[in-house]
């Protein structure tokens, strides 16, 4: 593909290789990672039920795995999204000079006075 512009004074074309993954694809990937973790959790529950009387140590380990996997699944499912975000580009160019600040002074608002002499 030719990236050279047609005109000599035109800016070169920008590459989109650093573009983020689309939201649909990102969501699908997170759902798959979460589903895989929940399948492992289901397997832990089945192992726990099958080994409860014969091998209690294995059953307790499977129970601990089944209890910790939901937390780990959420963290792992969100990991790709957090790494992908990166720095946000500026929406508007920032001015060289900061804008003048207006100092607001507190104002005390009193209720109207009542005539108590009458």
């Amino acid at each position: 593909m030719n990236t050279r512009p047609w005109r000599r004074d035109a800016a070169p074309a920008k590459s989109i290789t650093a573009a983020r993954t689309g939201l649909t694809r990102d969501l699908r990937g997170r759902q798959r990672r979460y589903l895989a973790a929940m399948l492992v959790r289901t397997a832990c529950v089945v192992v726990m039920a099958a080994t409860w009387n014969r091998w209690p140590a294995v059953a307790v380990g499977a129970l601990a795995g089944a209890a910790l996997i939901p937390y780990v699944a959420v963290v792992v499912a969100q990991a790709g999204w957090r790494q992908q975000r990166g720095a946000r580009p500026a929406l508007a160019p920032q001015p060289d000079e900061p804008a003048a600040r207006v100092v607001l002074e507190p104002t005390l608002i009193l209720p109207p006075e009542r005539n108590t002499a009458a």
Side-chain angles (χ1 to χ4, degrees), residues 3-23:
T3 58
R4 231 175 49 205
W6 289 97
R7 295 182 354 201
R8 291 183 191 193
D9 58 340
K14 301 215 178 201
S15 172
I16 62 165
T17 57
R20 296 184 202 176
T21 307
L23 181 60

Side-chain angles (χ1 to χ4, degrees), residues 21-42:
T21 307
L23 181 60
T24 304
R25 181 179 278 175
D26 181 49
L27 182 63
R28 182 177 294 159
R30 286 189 283 145
Q31 286 174 342
R32 286 182 180 171
R33 287 191 296 267
Y34 188 78
L35 179 64
M38 289 301 108
L39 289 174
V40 171
R41 181 181 188 208
T42 303

Side-chain angles (χ1 to χ4, degrees), residues 3-103:
T3 58
R4 231 175 49 205
W6 289 97
R7 295 182 354 201
R8 291 183 191 193
D9 58 340
K14 301 215 178 201
S15 172
I16 62 165
T17 57
R20 296 184 202 176
T21 307
L23 181 60
T24 304
R25 181 179 278 175
D26 181 49
L27 182 63
R28 182 177 294 159
R30 286 189 283 145
Q31 286 174 342
R32 286 182 180 171
R33 287 191 296 267
Y34 188 78
L35 179 64
M38 289 301 108
L39 289 174
V40 171
R41 181 181 188 208
T42 303
C44 285
V45 170
V46 169
V47 167
M48 180 197 65
T51 62
W52 189 258
N53 291 329
R54 289 187 82 157
W55 300 297
V58 173
V60 170
L63 178 64
L68 292 176
I69 284 180
Y71 171 75
V72 173
V74 170
V75 171
V76 169
Q78 296 296 335
W81 181 68
R82 300 226 186 262
Q83 291 172 357
Q84 176 185 351
R85 283 175 59 186
R88 289 185 171 181
L91 296 178
Q94 300 296 326
D96 293 339
E97 297 178 9
R101 294 188 177 208
V102 177
V103 178

